[in-house]
C-alpha cells in the first residue's frame, strides 16, 4: 500500500477527484480523504480494490523515485497536549505477531502521556481480532480468552489510564471499549434482554467468570458501562471501566455516529475527548459530573495532630458532603416536598424555585412582517459561560426571614418582582416562559441581582442562604472551555477570526472533519449534561414519590447550583437582548434557551446585529467562537414563520425550528 501522500499524488496525476475515487470504490468521499491524509487505512474488501486502483495509476504515472513502503499506522489524537507525534513508544510488551503491520504501527506510535504508568494512554478500543486500538496510532495485542484475562492484562500489562487532574484527586481508571466483534469473542450477547435494568443477569456466564476470579461489580451490574474492580491494593486502585458498543454505550445524541466508526477512528474520538476533558465514565452527563469532582476533590490528606499521621479531611472550596436542599429547591417527589404538601399538589411560584431556560415567543409586528427573513443566533457553550466566575453555595442552606438582599450571597430568595415591567416585545427575565410574575416567587441570586442591577427595589420576604460559598465551577469551566476552543481550532475556527470568515467556516465545519465534529458535540453535551446531573431525578422503576433515591447521597446533588447556573445563563441572554432593544431598537421574536431569533433585512446575522464605531455594540451579542459569543443558528423566511404560527398555533416557538425549518422537537440549538 503506497504512503498517504503517494495515494494523493497518484489521484491528482490522473486528474481524478476524491468524489470520483469514492464512487468507483462505493465509499464516502470523507473515507477517501481519511485514506489520503493517513488518518484511516482501508479495510477489506475495499482495501484490495483500492490497491488495484493505485497500482494501475502507479503504472501510468510513476514517481520520480520509488516511495518507501511505510508501516501500517493509525491516526493520532487531535493535537493532544503533551504528545510528540514522532516520539517512539516505550512499552515492554511484545506483540504476538512481531512482523505484522500492527507491530510496526505499535513501534512507531507515540507515548500518550509522560507518566510511565500510563504510557499507552487512557483507553483502548478492542475488536474481535484481539487488537487494542489506543491513542496516538498505537495498536496492541490483547487476550480475548475471557473477561477476567482481559481485566488482568489491562491492569498488569497494558499501561492504560490517566493521571489525576488534581493533586488530591484520583487517577483515571483505564477504559476498555468493546466493539461488537470483541464483545462477541468474550461471550457477551449482541443486545441486552433486560431493557429496563440494562444489565446482564447475575447468573450469566461472563458474570460468573468474574465472580470466580474474585472480581466485583458495582450495584449497577454489568451493563453498557460496567466497572470491574477489587479492593484497592495499598495505594494502587484495581479497577477497569468497560463500555460495550453494541449495547449503545455511546448515546448518539451526544456522540453522533461515533459508535459506527472503525476502531482506530473511534480511538481518536474518545482519546481526544479523554485527553482534553476526562476519560468517559458513562454518559457525557455522568462524565461532566465526574469532571467536577476530579478537578475539585471532596477530600485531601491532612495531618492528624494527635497521631502525626496522615488522614482524610475535607477539601476547602469543594463539595465535601451531601447536604439537604431547601424545600423550594427540591424537585417534585423529593422527601422534603412530600413532608410539606399532599400528593399531587401543584406547587405555586411562592412554593417552588423554577429557574429554567427560556421558552418564549411572540407574534411578529407589522413592521417585522415586512422584513424578508428571520435569523437565529445561538450562544456558544451558554451554560459553561454562565458557570464561569459564578459564586455558588458550598454548605447547607440557612433559613432567614426578611433578609436584606446581598448579590454576593448565593441562595434562594422569596421576593415579589411583579412590579417590574418591560417592553412587551421583550421576554420578562424573571420567568422561563417570559411572562410577568404574578406575585412573590422564589428566585436564585443571579435573577434577583439582575433586578437590582436594573435599578429596582427588591425586598425579600425570606430566603435560604449559603454563607459558605465559592467559585466551585471555575476549574470545570476552564477545562471545558479549553477543550472546546482546541477542538474548534482542529476544525479551522479560531478566536479573533473576521466575522464573515467565522460565519463561512461555521457553515461547513461539520464536514471538515467528522471525527473532530463528534468530539465537539460530546464536549457540548458534557456541559449541559453535567449541569443537569446536579439535580438528577429518580431512575429506578421501583421508586415512589416521597422516597429518597441514590443520587441524593452525593455531595454533588445540588439543585441550587443547577438553578444558579441556569438563572445566570437566562439573565445573560436578557441583558444582551435588553441592550439591543434600548440602544438599537431591535427586539427578539422568539427565544429558546440559548437561541434568539430576530427579524432581518438579510439572511445573515451581520444583516441585523448592530455596530458602533465599526465594532459590535458593547454589551450586545458578538459573533465569534469563544463561550458566551454567538454563532449563526439558522435563517428562514418571514412567510415560513407566519405559516408555522398559522398551522400550529401561537404556542409554537420558531426558535426551536429555525435551524432546519422542519417542525421537530429535536431542533433546540446546542
Amino acid at each position: 500500500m503506497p504512503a498517504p501522500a503517494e495515494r494523493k499524488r497518484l489521484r491528482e496525476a490522473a486528474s481524478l477527484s476524491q468524489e470520483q475515487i469514492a464512487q468507483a470504490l462505493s465509499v464516502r468521499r470523507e473515507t477517501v480523504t481519511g485514506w489520503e491524509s493517513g488518518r484511516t487505512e482501508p479495510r477489506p474488501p475495499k482495501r484490495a480494490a483500492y490497491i488495484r486502483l493505485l497500482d494501475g495509476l502507479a503504472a501510468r504515472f510513476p514517481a520520480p523515485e520509488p516511495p518507501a513502503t511505510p508501516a501500517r499506522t493509525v491516526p493520532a489524537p487531535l493535537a493532544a497536549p503533551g504528545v510528540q507525534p514522532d516520539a517512539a513508544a516505550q512499552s515492554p510488551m511484545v506483540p504476538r505477531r512481531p512482523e505484522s503491520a500492527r507491530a510496526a504501527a505499535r513501534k512507531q506510535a507515540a507515548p500518550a502521556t509522560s507518566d510511565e504508568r500510563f504510557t499507552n494512554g487512557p483507553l483502548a478500543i478492542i475488536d474481535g481480532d484481539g487488537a487494542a486500538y489506543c491513542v496516538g496510532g498505537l495498536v496492541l495485542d490483547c487476550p480475548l480468552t475471557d473477561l477476567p484475562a482481559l481485566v488482568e492484562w489491562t491492569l498488569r500489562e497494558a499501561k492504560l489510564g490517566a493521571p489525576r487532574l488534581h493533586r488530591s484527586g484520583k487517577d483515571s481508571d483505564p477504559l476498555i471499549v468493546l466493539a461488537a466483534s470483541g464483545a462477541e469473542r468474550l461471550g457477551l450477547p449482541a443486545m441486552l434482554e433486560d431493557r429496563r435494568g440494562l444489565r446482564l443477569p447475575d447468573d450469566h456466564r461472563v458474570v460468573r467468570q468474574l465472580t470466580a476470579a474474585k472480581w466485583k461489580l458495582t450495584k449497577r451490574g454489568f451493563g453498557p458501562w460496567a466497572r470491574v474492580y477489587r479492593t484497592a491494593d495499598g495505594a494502587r486502585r484495581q479497577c477497569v471501566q468497560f463500555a460495550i458498543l453494541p449495547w449503545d454505550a455511546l448515546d448518539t445524541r451526544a456522540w453522533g455516529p461515533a459508535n459506527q466508526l472503525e476502531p482506530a477512528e473511534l480511538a481518536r474520538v474518545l482519546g481526544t475527548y479523554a485527553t482534553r476533558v476526562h476519560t468517559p465514565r458513562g454518559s457525557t452527563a455522568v462524565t461532566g459530573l465526574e469532571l467536577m469532582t476530579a478537578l475539585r476533590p471532596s477530600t485531601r490528606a491532612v495531618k492528624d495532630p494527635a497521631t502525626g499521621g496522615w488522614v482524610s479531611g475535607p477539601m476547602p472550596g469543594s463539595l465535601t458532603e451531601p447536604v439537604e436542599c431547601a424545600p423550594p429547591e427540591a424537585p417534585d417527589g423529593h422527601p422534603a416536598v412530600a413532608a410539606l404538601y399532599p400528593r399531587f399538589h401543584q406547587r405555586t411560584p411562592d412554593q417552588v424555585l423554577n429557574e429554567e431556560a427560556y421558552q418564549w415567543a411572540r407574534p411578529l409586528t407589522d413592521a417585522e412582517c415586512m422584513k424578508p427573513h428571520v435569523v437565529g443566533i445561538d450562544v456558544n457553550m451558554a451554560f459553561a459561560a454562565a458557570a464561569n466566575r459564578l459564586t455558588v453555595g458550598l454548605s447547607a442552606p440557612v433559613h432567614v426571614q426578611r433578609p436584606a438582599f446581598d448579590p454576593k450571597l448565593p441562595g434562594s430568595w422569596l421576593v415579589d418582582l411583579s412590579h417590574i415591567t418591560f417592553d412587551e416585545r421583550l421576554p420578562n427575565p424573571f420567568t422561563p416562559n417570559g411572562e410577568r410574575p404574578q406575585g412573590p416567587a422564589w428566585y436564585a441570586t443571579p435573577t434577583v441581582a439582575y433586578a437590582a442591577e436594573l435599578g429596582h427595589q427588591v425586598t425579600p420576604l425570606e430566603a435560604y442562604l449559603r454563607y459558605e460559598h465559592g467559585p466551585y465551577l471555575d476549574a470545570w469551566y476552564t477545562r471545558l472551555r479549553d477543550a472546546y476552543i482546541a477542538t474548534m481550532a482542529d476544525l479551522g475556527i479560531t478566536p479573533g477570526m473576521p466575522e464573515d470568515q467565522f460565519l463561512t467556516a461555521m457553515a461547513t465545519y461539520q464536514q471538515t472533519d467528522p471525527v473532530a465534529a463528534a468530539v465537539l458535540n460530546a464536549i457540548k453535551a458534557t456541559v449541559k449534561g453535567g449541569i443537569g446531573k446536579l439535580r438528577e431525578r429518580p431512575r429506578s422503576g421501583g421508586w415512589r414519590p416521597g422516597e429518597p433515591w441514590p443520587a441524593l447521597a452525593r455531595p454533588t446533588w445540588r439543585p441550587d447550583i443547577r438553578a444558579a447556573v441556569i438563572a445566570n445563563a437566562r439573565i445573560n441572554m436578557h441583558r444582551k437582548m435588553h441592550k439591543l432593544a434600548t440602544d438599537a431598537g431591535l427586539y427578539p421574536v422568539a427565544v429558546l434557551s440559548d437561541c434568539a431569533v430576530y427579524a432581518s433585512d438579510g439572511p445573515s446575522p451581520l444583516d441585523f446585529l448592530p455596530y458602533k464605531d465599526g465594532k459590535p455594540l458593547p454589551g450586545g451579542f458578538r459573533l465569534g467562537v469563544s463561550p458566551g459569543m454567538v454563532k449563526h443558528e439558522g435563517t428562514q423566511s418571514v412567510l415560513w414563520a407566519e405559516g408555522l404560527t398559522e398551522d400550529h398555533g401561537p404556542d409554537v416557538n420558531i426558535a426551536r425550528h429555525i435551524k432546519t425549518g422542519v417542525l421537530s422537537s429535536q431542533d433546540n440549538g446546542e
Side-chain angles (χ1 to χ4, degrees):
M1 173 68 70
E6 176 65 4
R7 302 167 200 172
K8 181 179 180 180
R9 186 196 73 80
L10 290 171
R11 175 181 60 77
E12 293 178 343
S15 300
L16 296 173
S17 67
Q18 289 183 338
E19 186 67 36
Q20 289 172 309
I21 297 291
Q23 290 177 356
L25 298 175
S26 299
V27 298
R28 298 182 301 125
R29 182 189 60 79
E30 291 80 5
T31 301
V32 177
T33 300
W35 293 346
E36 291 187 353
S37 67
R39 290 199 308 269
T40 58
E41 288 292 309
R43 296 168 66 93
K46 304 299 183 186
R47 181 182 176 88
Y50 191 38
I51 289 175
R52 288 195 297 271
L53 174 63
L54 293 175
D55 286 345
L57 294 177
R60 294 172 54 198
F61 307 101
E65 295 181 6
T69 303
R72 172 176 174 261
T73 60
V74 289
L78 300 171
V83 175
Q84 301 298 322
D86 296 328
Q90 302 297 321
S91 175
M93 291 174 291
V94 178
R96 292 194 303 266
R97 293 179 293 278
E99 298 304 320
S100 68
R102 182 183 300 157
R106 179 183 174 282
K107 292 176 183 177
Q108 291 188 359
T113 174
S114 58
D115 192 318
E116 293 184 358
R117 299 170 300 161
F118 311 123
T119 305
N120 297 329
L123 54 86
I125 288 80
I126 294 180
D127 65 13
D129 294 332
Y133 294 82
C134 309
V135 301
L138 178 67
V139 186
L140 306 174
D141 289 316
C142 67
L144 285 182
T145 53
D146 56 38
L147 203 60
L150 180 57
V151 172
E152 292 283 355
W153 172 83
T154 302
L155 292 174
R156 312 299 175 216
E157 300 182 51
K159 290 195 172 184
L160 295 174
R164 65 197 68 188
L165 298 179
H166 188 283
R167 60 180 298 178
S168 296
K170 299 176 181 177
D171 298 327
S172 288
D173 299 319
L175 171 63
I176 297 296
V177 181
L178 293 177
S181 57
E184 182 181 7
R185 277 280 304 275
L186 291 168
L188 297 172
M191 64 178 295
L192 287 172
E193 294 182 6
D194 182 359
R195 303 309 300 166
R196 171 172 286 187
L198 291 177
R199 57 187 290 168
L200 287 178
D202 292 341
D203 60 353
H204 190 277
R205 180 170 63 91
V206 169
V207 177
R208 287 190 280 108
Q209 287 174 348
L210 290 170
T211 303
K214 301 190 183 308
W215 290 104
K216 300 178 182 179
L217 294 168
T218 59
K219 290 182 179 179
R220 65 183 176 184
F222 200 94
W225 289 90
R227 186 168 293 173
V228 178
Y229 72 98
R230 284 179 182 152
T231 304
D233 179 14
R236 185 173 179 81
R237 288 163 59 86
Q238 297 186 90
C239 182
V240 178
Q241 180 83 39
F242 283 91
I244 318 301
L245 292 183
W247 298 353
D248 300 324
L250 297 181
D251 190 333
T252 56
R253 292 171 296 181
W255 295 99
N259 62 349
Q260 303 298 321
L261 293 173
E262 295 293 331
E265 289 284 77
L266 182 58
R268 182 176 172 227
V269 171
L270 296 180
T272 302
Y273 178 89
T275 301
R276 292 180 177 169
V277 181
H278 193 274
T279 304
R281 283 293 175 263
S283 67
T284 48
V286 169
T287 306
L289 200 67
E290 292 260 344
L291 179 62
M292 293 180 194
T293 55
L295 293 166
R296 289 194 182 273
S298 58
T299 61
R300 63 173 178 169
V302 296
K303 257 191 176 179
D304 185 340
T307 65
W310 292 96
V311 296
S312 179
M315 171 69 73
S318 292
L319 304 178
T320 59
E321 61 182 1
V323 296
E324 291 290 336
C325 65
E329 297 165 353
D332 291 340
H334 189 278
V337 177
L340 289 174
Y341 306 105
R343 194 174 180 184
F344 304 120
H345 171 76
Q346 185 68 40
R347 290 188 286 172
T348 54
D350 61 341
Q351 296 172 338
V352 61
L353 179 70
N354 185 31
E355 295 284 17
E356 300 294 341
Y358 266 132
Q359 163 64 290
W360 172 87
R362 64 169 175 82
L364 276 70
T365 64
D366 291 343
E368 289 165 343
C369 287
M370 299 300 294
K371 295 180 181 292
H373 304 285
V374 284
V375 180
I377 52 176
D378 184 83
V379 179
N380 302 321
M381 302 271 283
F383 291 152
N388 184 30
R389 297 192 299 273
L390 179 66
T391 300
V392 300
L394 303 176
S395 57
V398 176
H399 191 204
V400 182
Q401 296 287 348
R402 301 284 179 179
F405 177 66
D406 183 351
K408 297 181 180 180
L409 192 57
S412 299
W413 309 77
L414 180 63
V415 59
D416 190 350
L417 302 179
S418 61
H419 62 285
I420 304 174
T421 59
F422 295 86
D423 190 295
E424 62 181 10
R425 292 169 293 178
L426 278 175
N428 190 287
F430 309 131
T431 60
N433 62 9
E435 301 296 326
R436 183 177 174 179
Q438 298 302 305
W442 286 98
Y443 302 102
T445 296
T447 302
V448 187
Y450 185 54
E453 175 187 323
L454 294 173
H456 300 285
Q457 181 68 33
V458 293
T459 309
L461 303 174
E462 60 178 301
Y464 288 90
L465 305 178
R466 290 171 169 84
Y467 293 100
E468 184 182 342
H469 48 75
Y472 174 73
L473 294 171
D474 271 10
W476 185 79
Y477 161 77
T478 299
R479 186 162 178 86
L480 287 165
R481 177 205 62 195
D482 292 349
Y484 174 79
I485 293 295
T487 307
M488 291 299 285
D490 292 329
L491 293 162
I493 303 168
T494 57
M497 290 179 71
E499 292 177 331
D500 55 344
Q501 294 181 23
F502 168 73
L503 291 172
T504 300
M506 286 297 296
T508 58
Y509 80 92
Q510 291 188 333
Q511 288 74 48
T512 302
D513 184 346
V515 169
V519 175
L520 183 71
N521 196 57
I523 292 171
K524 293 191 289 187
T526 303
V527 173
K528 286 193 171 181
I531 296 299
K533 274 284 184 179
L534 291 169
R535 197 190 67 169
E536 182 178 350
R537 304 300 295 273
R539 301 173 64 189
S540 170
W543 174 83
R544 295 291 181 269
E547 297 175 349
W549 57 93
L552 301 186
R554 291 196 320 248
T556 50
W557 193 84
R558 293 295 301 271
D560 57 298
I561 296 180
R562 172 189 178 273
V565 172
I566 295 177
N568 205 33
R570 193 183 68 246
I571 293 305
N572 286 344
M573 283 287 289
H574 193 275
R575 185 180 287 110
K576 293 174 181 177
M577 292 186 295
H578 190 258
K579 184 68 174 178
L580 263 63
T582 55
D583 286 25
L586 292 173
Y587 296 85
V589 298
V591 185
L592 182 72
S593 186
D594 41 20
C595 175
V597 178
Y598 286 83
S600 173
D601 290 322
S604 167
L606 293 173
D607 294 317
F608 76 88
L609 286 177
Y611 285 74
K612 184 177 182 179
D613 300 327
K615 297 180 180 180
L617 179 69
F621 294 109
R622 297 185 60 184
L623 289 166
V625 69
S626 298
M629 300 178 79
V630 299
K631 62 180 180 292
H632 183 204
E633 179 69 5
T635 296
Q636 304 295 334
S637 69
V638 165
L639 291 177
W640 167 87
E642 289 289 274
L644 205 64
T645 303
E646 289 180 8
D647 293 343
H648 300 283
D651 292 334
V652 70
N653 191 324
I654 64 172
R656 185 181 299 278
H657 316 292
I658 191 75
K659 188 171 188 176
T660 63
V662 178
L663 193 65
S664 167
S665 61
Q666 300 301 315
D667 300 330
N668 60 351
E670 282 188 31

